[in-house]
Amino acid sequence: MGPESKVQLLGLQALLPQYLRVRFVRAALSYISCNSQGWMECQAGECWCHCDAAYPQCNCPAEDIQILEKSLTQTQDQATGQNKEFEESAEFRTFLKSLPTDRFLNISTISRLWNADLGLTRRYEQLRAGFKQLLSKSQRQMRRLINLSKHCLRQPQYTLLRERSVSYWWHHIQSLLYCSASLAPGMFLEASHSCTCTLQHPNCQGNIPCIQGPGPLCSLCSTIHPTQCASCNPGYTLTAQGLCVPSVPESSEPYLGTEGTLQDLEVKYLLLKRDGRLRAPAFFISGDLRLGMWFQMGGRKRMLLTCKSNKHWPRQLHLLLGLSMRLCLAGNGTRDPQVTVYVNPFGGSHSESWLLPAGEQGYPSWEKTWDMEGGDRCQNWTLILGHRWRSFFETVHFYMRSNPSEEEEDGEEDSAEWTDKQTLDDKLEDPEYVRIDGLHAFGYSVPFDPEAIRGLAQQIDQPGSREIALLELQELRKRVNFLSPPGARKLDLFSCLLRHRLKMSSNEVGRIQAQLALFSSQLPNGSTYETTKLCS
């Protein structure tokens, strides 16, 4: 009620006697506030009308409520109109036409292009400012509507205003790009890469371009069929359907074989028998001793078995399965000599050999058996590597010296003195004399195509075949280095193969390794391939 009504009410109370004042105030308030359709009740600072049975809606100002509901509907229509004006604005239409259509645009790409368009972002800020004004007006109307209808039997009808966020507009742009093949555009779902269309227009989905990105995604979309890939990322191959699938290198067996035909038990049996079928085609060379001749152990004696493959077997590689040596000792006091073995995989200098760790870290050790045939004290020494410890070999270096437990004089020089059986009678009591009756390397040879590997190396500079060539070289390197001797890190046998069997220069080998390293880093889940350098 207004202030004048309050003054009049107070004046009337002053004129009335005390016993009539409460009844009068009740009647006056009921008449004024409830239109004589009920009586006024107040409790806890809040007053309302207790309606008569004939007037159940006396608490509801229906006309006022209808006016507010209509005003809220108009505010909702204004917000819808602002959104429509924004979508039809020159800034929005220009942005939509400028978007690339040769590849799929995900939300992050659209957001980046949106933020880079200054005209569009300014127009969107105007839309937001207009919405904030409508939202403030709508909230005031809703609060008044709720207060008026608090004691009504019917709840008021209104809809809350909701702002279309910038994320909504990004998704809406996707729908306009890819789901507008019909009159009514559908809704694009990036997770399923498809459209949800309306019942009236079920064929809203248009051509959705391919996705460009890393890994199995396209590196470039086709201009003829945008839904298909035109090219793929490193490590993937383009199929006839325009998809990118992981590249699988061709078998490297045509370039280089590594597998034998015998099982380990068969290899061990033949090695213990020193069967000639397993004997490798290696020549014995030594300047310190001769086979079958007694010689005096003094200092270090050097022997080697070499295949001379570049001369005799240019299209074969050799794998070492075991070693055998027949050693005879003069005198009962002669101790077994110490034998150290180095293996050179593909040729080159002695420094490009690795030490064979016989008897260390689970590696096989020499097996020694006595053989008294002919009356001499002889031993058969056999080292069985088998398939587990097999490795490439071109030359095997043997170094023999007196056992370290024997006393040696400092500065003792190597002796090249040897003698035959008939002249040994006066030296039989000398424990320093020994004799080597046989020294053999056992293994098998595998095919090797140097021209084909050189062809692969040349293809890494050709754009059309570069990726396939690198994949096959990578597989070939893996197979060669797999037969590296035991150690914390594999030896780089592959570089030795290129250097000495393919006769490549150091620069060529370095270029190939650099290309392989770069290619590996570009592959999915690529990691650094680390090896220990063996060859210069």
Side-chain angles (χ1 to χ4, degrees), residues 180-245:
S180 298
S182 60
L183 294 176
M187 180 182 296
F188 183 76
L189 303 176
E190 186 169 335
S192 61
H193 210 63
S194 62
C195 296
T196 300
C197 304
T198 61
L199 293 176
Q200 295 78 11
H201 303 278
N203 300 319
C204 67
Q205 181 169 321
N207 290 329
I208 303 176
C210 74
I211 305 176
Q212 293 184 8
L217 303 179
C218 306
S219 63
L220 190 65
C221 295
S222 172
T223 56
I224 302 175
H225 303 287
T227 59
Q228 301 179 1
C229 300
S231 62
C232 301
N233 294 301
Y236 293 86
T237 302
L238 184 66
T239 65
Q241 293 75 28
L243 301 175
C244 292
V245 298

Side-chain angles (χ1 to χ4, degrees), residues 17-37:
Q18 182 69 32
Y19 68 91
L20 293 176
R21 288 180 180 176
V22 175
R23 293 172 59 191
F24 172 77
V25 170
R26 285 179 179 272
L29 289 174
S30 298
Y31 176 78
I32 296 171
S33 299
C34 301
N35 297 321
S36 297
Q37 296 177 354

Side-chain angles (χ1 to χ4, degrees), residues 125-305:
E125 290 302 323
Q126 294 176 8
L127 174 66
R128 293 193 64 190
F131 178 82
K132 287 180 180 178
Q133 294 177 357
L134 293 177
L135 181 62
S136 177
K137 177 183 176 182
S138 174
Q139 288 174 344
R140 290 195 304 269
Q141 292 172 338
M142 281 190 293
R143 282 193 294 268
R144 187 181 177 193
L145 178 62
I146 291 171
N147 289 331
L148 289 176
S149 60
K150 185 179 297 184
H151 298 284
C152 293
L153 297 179
R154 181 184 70 86
Q155 293 300 315
Q157 302 296 318
Y158 60 89
T159 303
L160 294 176
L161 281 184
R162 296 186 63 182
E163 182 182 14
R164 290 183 177 179
S165 64
V166 66
S167 176
Y168 164 84
W169 290 106
W170 295 342
H171 286 87
H172 184 58
I173 288 172
Q174 270 191 329
S175 299
L176 293 176
L177 288 173
Y178 308 127
C179 304
S180 298
S182 60
L183 294 176
M187 180 182 296
F188 183 76
L189 303 176
E190 186 169 335
S192 61
H193 210 63
S194 62
C195 296
T196 300
C197 304
T198 61
L199 293 176
Q200 295 78 11
H201 303 278
N203 300 319
C204 67
Q205 181 169 321
N207 290 329
I208 303 176
C210 74
I211 305 176
Q212 293 184 8
L217 303 179
C218 306
S219 63
L220 190 65
C221 295
S222 172
T223 56
I224 302 175
H225 303 287
T227 59
Q228 301 179 1
C229 300
S231 62
C232 301
N233 294 301
Y236 293 86
T237 302
L238 184 66
T239 65
Q241 293 75 28
L243 301 175
C244 292
V245 298
S247 299
V248 178
E250 297 292 335
S251 173
S252 56
E253 284 290 339
Y255 303 102
L256 183 151
T258 57
E259 299 303 322
T261 59
L262 299 177
Q263 301 295 322
D264 278 340
L265 288 177
E266 295 175 311
V267 170
K268 183 175 182 180
Y269 175 80
L270 294 175
L271 284 177
L272 291 175
K273 294 292 184 179
R274 296 185 297 283
D275 195 294
R277 289 173 291 180
L278 271 186
R279 190 171 298 175
F283 303 94
F284 175 85
I285 299 176
S286 177
D288 297 335
L289 57 94
R290 295 178 181 175
L291 293 178
M293 303 292 289
W294 293 95
F295 62 92
Q296 188 176 18
M297 286 296 301
R300 185 182 67 173
K301 308 298 182 184
R302 180 186 178 191
M303 305 170 284
L304 60 88
L305 295 173

